[in-house]
Amino acid sequence: MIGSLRGTVLDRAIGGEVLLEVGGVGYRVAVPAGAVGALEPGGPGFLFTHLVVRDDALSLYGFPDREQRDTFEALMSATGVGPKLALAILSAHSPSALRRAVIEGDLDALTLVPGVGKRTAQRLMIELAAKLGTDAPDPVAADGGPSVRAEVRAALEGLGYGAEEVRTVLGALPVEGPVEVLLREALRLLAMERAPRPVLNGNGNARA
């Protein structure tokens, strides 16, 4: 099995594929969306790889670090998850963000991935808990209500914030805390992000 590739990047596509030349041979490798930007055409490239063998094709999937490849393989071992869906999940969530979503039972984080519905997300939560070395997911609070982070997410979406904004700010919040405290912090971070940047003059100072 091909475990890694080191060579020169010949080409890349926005859709998440790079052409990596190793020893005069060009390998087409599918990579997570977040890895494409660092693989500059003409520059060096190194990827940990996973080879998917099928009757009609050999497909290579590449990752900038071992943790992403291990997470990809864990996703692939889950029921109903093929390589394309596993790659889509890693394009939307880093391994640490995915692990946090599983620990917190954050179904909404998984359903942000195209092709993952609520039922699939629920099944993944249960299967990935063991595969990623986390505790069993707890999608609801002990009293049967929604989890704290789910409440914060719902409140932000109710205020009109977009799914991508909400996902980003939730990743920046503390792991635990009361709903009111986390919501207040989330709103502060979102206000900072949306605040207009000062326009600088030629001397590098903000214009009046």
Side-chain angles (χ1 to χ4, degrees):
M1 178 178 287
I2 302 173
S4 67
L5 291 172
R6 185 186 299 276
T8 302
V9 179
L10 297 182
D11 197 8
R12 66 183 179 184
I14 296 176
E17 183 179 272
V18 298
L19 181 62
L20 189 64
E21 184 182 62
V22 182
V25 179
Y27 293 87
R28 294 174 61 180
V29 189
V31 300
V36 176
L39 297 167
E40 292 280 355
F46 175 82
L47 295 168
F48 287 96
T49 59
H50 179 94
L51 177 64
V52 175
V53 180
R54 290 184 172 169
D55 293 339
D56 58 347
L58 300 176
S59 302
L60 267 175
Y61 294 83
F63 309 91
D65 56 64
R66 191 187 301 272
E67 184 183 21
Q68 287 199 38
R69 185 182 65 181
D70 291 347
T71 305
F72 175 82
E73 291 173 347
L75 287 165
M76 283 270 291
S77 67
T79 304
V81 178
K84 290 185 179 180
L85 182 54
L87 193 68
I89 292 172
L90 279 176
S91 292
H93 301 292
S94 67
S96 59
L98 181 60
R99 191 173 294 110
R100 184 169 62 242
V102 171
I103 291 172
E104 296 169 357
D106 189 353
L107 292 176
D108 290 338
L110 286 181
T111 55
L112 287 175
V113 180
V116 177
K118 189 170 184 180
R119 237 176 236 188
T120 300
Q122 289 172 331
R123 186 180 68 249
L124 280 174
M125 285 290 179
I126 296 171
E127 293 194 38
L128 291 179
K131 298 178 188 298
L132 298 180
T134 66
D135 294 329
D138 180 20
V140 295
D143 61 358
S147 68
V148 169
R149 295 179 83 84
E151 287 190 53
V152 173
R153 178 187 295 277
L156 293 175
E157 290 175 345
L159 290 171
Y161 290 99
E164 184 62 26
E165 284 183 301
V166 173
R167 183 172 68 83
T168 300
V169 79
L170 284 177
L173 293 179
V175 175
E176 297 179 349
V179 173
E180 296 80 5
V181 173
L182 293 183
L183 180 57
R184 189 160 52 244
E185 176 64 10
L187 291 171
R188 185 184 71 82
L189 293 173
L190 287 165
M192 290 175 59
E193 184 63 28
R194 287 189 170 188
R197 302 292 191 269
V199 178
L200 303 180
N201 59 27
N203 297 322
N205 298 317
R207 291 180 181 174

